Amino acid sequence: MIDARGFSCPQPVLMVQQAVKRDAPKTLTVLVDDQCAVGNIRRFAASQGYQVRVTEQGEEFSLELTK
Amino acid sequence: MKKRSWFQDNWLALLTGLIVGAAALLLARLGNPGNMGFCIACFERDIAGALGLHGAEAVQYFRPEIVGIVLGALLAALCFREFRGKGGSSPLLRLILGMLVMIGALVFLGCPLRMVIRIGGGDLNALVGLAGFIVGILVGVVFLKKGFTLGRAYGQSKAEGAAFPALLTLAFLLSVTGLVGLFRSSESGPGSKRALWYVALLAGMAVGFLAQRSRFCMAGGIRNAVMFRDFGLVAAFGMVILTVLVGNLLLGQFGGFAFEGQPVAHSDGLWNFLGMTVVGWGSVLLGGCPLRQLILAGEGNTDSAVTVVGMLLGAALSHNFKLASSADGSAPGGHTAVWAALVILLLISLVCTFAKKKEGTK
């Protein structure tokens, strides 16, 4: 799981990019607290062939990436 | 899940580019200085002058565009439930980075947004600036990839998040009603060239609203293209140039591409290049260009509000110590300041990239 809460763009999507590059995981959970990061990660994950499910929890978002 | 097309993902950014370009043409037509329909750095410099932070009489005016951009972003953030108080990610470093970005921008004579507007107006000096801007972004990206971070931000109260937009609005109301003669106002020079205040305010609000929704950012566009092969924002960047270029042609005010004789610009190539290198590098470390900082400040991000304050201070330094360029050329003090800014950027980049790694391995 990646906890990218509090980091500003582009760090959250960079953290995801590095995890994908390193381990090529089948599933990955990412926590963020910023709509901009949600959009960036969603676009990047889709470009890498992941399906993305976003759940809003109060002021935070949990993104489930699955391949 | 159905795959979204590129256009579905990026139409809003393209629309923002179109509106920004059109609004810039309109404002320049209605009185703003040439190729300066919008310039975040120049307008914040004018506000710093209005507040008396510097004494350059030609550049003092409480620019309504800046207030409009922040209020437009605030409105969009409220409408879409994105307003939240947030801050605490190295505020002092951000203040310093904001100062450096402003110093670099005033050596070039424009923020990244004015740079593209200048390109659309046929100013080739701005292409030299663009080359420097790209180099600055690439250097910043190297550090980002190595782990550069200014640390996490944390939730703050709504009052903390609203303080900056509220203060700016209050000051603007005082300025525009003229009830108290608090603020300075240029009678000649670029600061005296202005569109009607309410048109400027509304144009700013439209841009702020759209830019908040589309995450429009001049530095982010090139950064995302390089790092993630994501070309949405860089296309919006191109859209501003295209709109301004076509608009200038249609309005019959395009005088061809040239280096010399451009409005509020100079032709010192090296300093146009290095000034924008500072802006590009600093903007990448900050996570966004000067326009984006205003948008984030409107969303309740106090780190960005602090960055904007840093930019006001940078403008004051630039004019008090004669670092800023003028149409006659760059200033010797500006050359020293740009070298100093590059050294400070390198130090901040190194420390925030490698010192943190050591902590992590403890």
Side-chain angles (χ1 to χ4, degrees):
Chain A
M1 193 188 72
I2 294 175
D3 180 2
R5 288 174 298 176
F7 287 116
S8 53
C9 281
Q11 259 173 282
V13 60
L14 190 60
M15 290 160 92
V16 173
Q17 185 188 40
Q18 285 172 343
V20 166
K21 224 181 227 173
R22 197 173 52 231
D23 308 322
K26 288 262 178 255
T27 63
L28 183 63
T29 307
V30 190
L31 291 181
V32 295
D33 58 0
D34 181 61
Q35 287 270 16
C36 179
V38 173
N40 279 341
I41 292 172
R42 177 188 282 152
R43 280 202 304 280
F44 172 74
S47 77
Q48 302 296 308
Y50 285 93
Q51 304 252 333
V52 185
R53 203 165 57 89
V54 184
T55 338
E56 196 171 342
Q57 301 157 331
E59 298 201 332
E60 296 175 359
F61 304 87
S62 167
L63 285 84
E64 305 282 338
L65 278 58
T66 48
K67 215 165 203 174
Chain B
M1 195 171 70
K2 210 175 144 225
K3 205 168 175 334
R4 288 157 66 90
S5 73
W6 184 85
F7 188 75
Q8 272 177 316
D9 271 335
N10 296 303
W11 70 271
L12 192 59
L14 291 171
L15 177 69
T16 307
L18 182 76
I19 300 294
V20 168
L25 285 167
L26 178 78
L27 292 175
R29 193 78 177 172
L30 293 179
N32 277 11
N35 290 347
M36 209 193 278
F38 277 105
C39 172
I40 310 308
C42 318
F43 291 178
E44 287 174 354
R45 181 261 326 268
D46 291 352
I47 290 180
L51 295 173
L53 296 176
H54 66 71
E57 288 178 359
V59 284
Q60 299 174 332
Y61 175 43
F62 209 107
R63 288 272 174 196
E65 291 89 343
I66 297 291
V67 185
I69 289 169
V70 172
L71 291 183
L74 171 72
L75 191 65
L78 288 174
C79 288
F80 293 88
R81 297 192 308 119
E82 288 185 14
F83 181 83
R84 59 200 54 147
K86 201 173 175 185
S89 158
S90 307
L92 191 55
L93 285 178
R94 287 178 191 272
L95 182 98
I96 295 168
L97 288 169
M99 290 170 71
L100 299 180
V101 164
M102 179 59 98
I103 289 170
L106 292 180
V107 167
F108 167 73
L109 290 177
C111 70
L113 181 54
R114 180 167 190 243
M115 177 183 73
V116 296
I117 292 169
R118 280 173 59 177
I119 294 173
D123 181 347
L124 291 177
N125 302 298
L127 271 184
V128 178
L130 175 61
F133 185 59
I134 293 173
V135 167
I137 287 172
L138 293 178
V139 175
V141 163
V142 170
F143 285 103
L144 277 181
K145 284 191 168 170
K146 295 264 179 218
F148 174 88
T149 179
L150 289 173
R152 285 181 205 266
Y154 298 89
Q156 308 285 346
S157 67
K158 288 232 178 333
E160 172 81 357
F164 179 78
L167 190 64
L168 191 67
T169 308
L170 182 70
F172 176 66
L173 287 176
L174 288 176
S175 124
V176 86
T177 51
L179 288 178
V180 273
L182 279 177
F183 300 114
R184 300 181 186 185
S185 184
S186 298
E187 285 173 7
S188 63
S192 69
K193 296 183 179 168
R194 45 185 90 154
L196 276 171
W197 70 266
Y198 49 88
V199 179
L201 183 73
L202 286 174
M205 284 183 79
V207 166
F209 191 96
L210 281 169
Q212 197 280 338
R213 297 315 304 150
S214 64
R215 325 298 182 197
F216 187 73
C217 173
M218 295 281 125
I222 297 171
R223 178 198 72 203
N224 289 355
V226 176
M227 293 181 82
F228 310 115
R229 302 274 165 258
D230 181 347
F231 296 96
L233 288 180
V234 87
F237 185 102
M239 184 57 115
V240 180
I241 299 182
L242 190 69
T243 307
V244 174
L245 181 62
V246 171
N248 277 325
L249 283 167
L250 290 178
L251 293 170
Q253 57 193 25
F254 186 77
F257 286 100
F259 282 100
E260 299 299 330
Q262 300 296 338
V264 202
H266 63 79
S267 301
D268 285 350
L270 177 66
W271 301 105
N272 280 328
F273 183 95
L274 289 178
M276 284 315 281
T277 304
V278 171
V279 175
W281 191 350
S283 294
V284 165
L285 300 187
L286 284 166
C289 70
L291 172 67
R292 181 80 184 137
Q293 299 302 328
L294 287 177
I295 302 296
L296 290 170
E299 289 176 20
N301 186 321
T302 57
D303 290 328
S304 289
V306 168
T307 306
V308 175
V309 173
M311 292 189 69
L312 292 174
L313 291 177
L317 278 187
S318 287
H319 283 283
N320 288 340
F321 298 120
K322 303 200 175 356
L323 317 178
S325 302
S326 68
D328 300 329
S330 58
H335 305 169
T336 317
V338 163
W339 290 124
L342 289 169
V343 171
I344 298 169
L345 283 171
L346 182 64
L347 279 175
I348 293 177
S349 300
L350 286 171
V351 171
C352 295
T353 304
F354 297 108
K356 190 194 144 267
K357 274 199 182 152
K358 260 190 187 164
E359 278 168 28
T361 52
K362 263 180 202 166

